Amino acid sequence: MPTWGAGREAVLGAETRRYERRCPEQTLLYQLVDEHYPAFVAELAAQGREVPAYVAREFEEYLKCGRLEHGFLRVRCEVCHQERLVAFSCKRRAFCPSCGARRMVESAALLVDDILPEVPIRQWVVSFPYALRFLFATRPAVMGEVLGIVYRVIAGHLVKKAGETQTSARTGAVTLIQRFGSALNLNKQA
């Protein structure tokens, strides 16, 4: 049985692993969503309400994620010519644990390997009051201005604590905005 890897490490033989299709339909989360989401949507419709389009898209794409019947690639090993089917993923940001974890790992690897210099780094989490979160959701330019202010305050604080001046120190920032809470509610956190 051949080994299947990912990325250039696998091609070079540095790291290989056996590919196993993940079976999302066997997870408890998938089973709960599959069983209860349609009834939830129907109940809302009976009340004259509907699920916001972005929430409906998240659930519907999640239910297709990793399922062969919703699309796949046929991948062939160049060495032994054995083939595997690899199901498409939803690539959604908010709800799918598999795609969310992959996106998080890829983003972190990109930052660590290609962007951030090897210097001391601090992580800050800023949470805004709900009234501001809704403002930011409807007016992204305001969010950008507020993040600029937050950055200047934090950078100024760090420069001062280091005993440096604004002209002698160099700071930078990477901002990741989390838009949804654990219940897919609108959330703004930076």
Side-chain angles (χ1 to χ4, degrees), residues 42-123:
E43 177 66 28
L44 284 178
Q47 298 172 11
R49 299 168 50 203
E50 61 183 29
V51 176
Y54 68 92
V55 174
R57 241 185 339 272
E58 291 291 332
F59 278 109
E60 291 160 10
E61 291 297 319
Y62 169 68
L63 289 172
K64 295 177 184 177
C65 186
R67 305 288 308 267
L68 291 171
E69 61 267 28
H70 296 290
F72 60 87
L73 292 175
R74 183 181 308 260
V75 181
R76 183 172 176 245
C77 175
E78 291 182 358
V79 177
C80 71
H81 307 290
Q82 187 168 9
E83 294 182 348
R84 298 272 192 227
L85 301 180
V86 180
F88 292 148
S89 60
C90 67
K91 297 180 178 64
R92 303 307 294 181
R93 296 172 182 248
F95 190 70
C96 182
S98 176
C99 292
R102 183 181 327 106
R103 183 181 300 273
M104 183 174 55
V105 168
E106 288 171 354
S107 296
L110 174 68
L111 286 170
V112 170
D113 295 343
D114 299 331
I115 296 174
L116 298 174
E118 292 191 30
V119 297
I121 294 176
R122 298 261 193 259
Q123 176 180 336

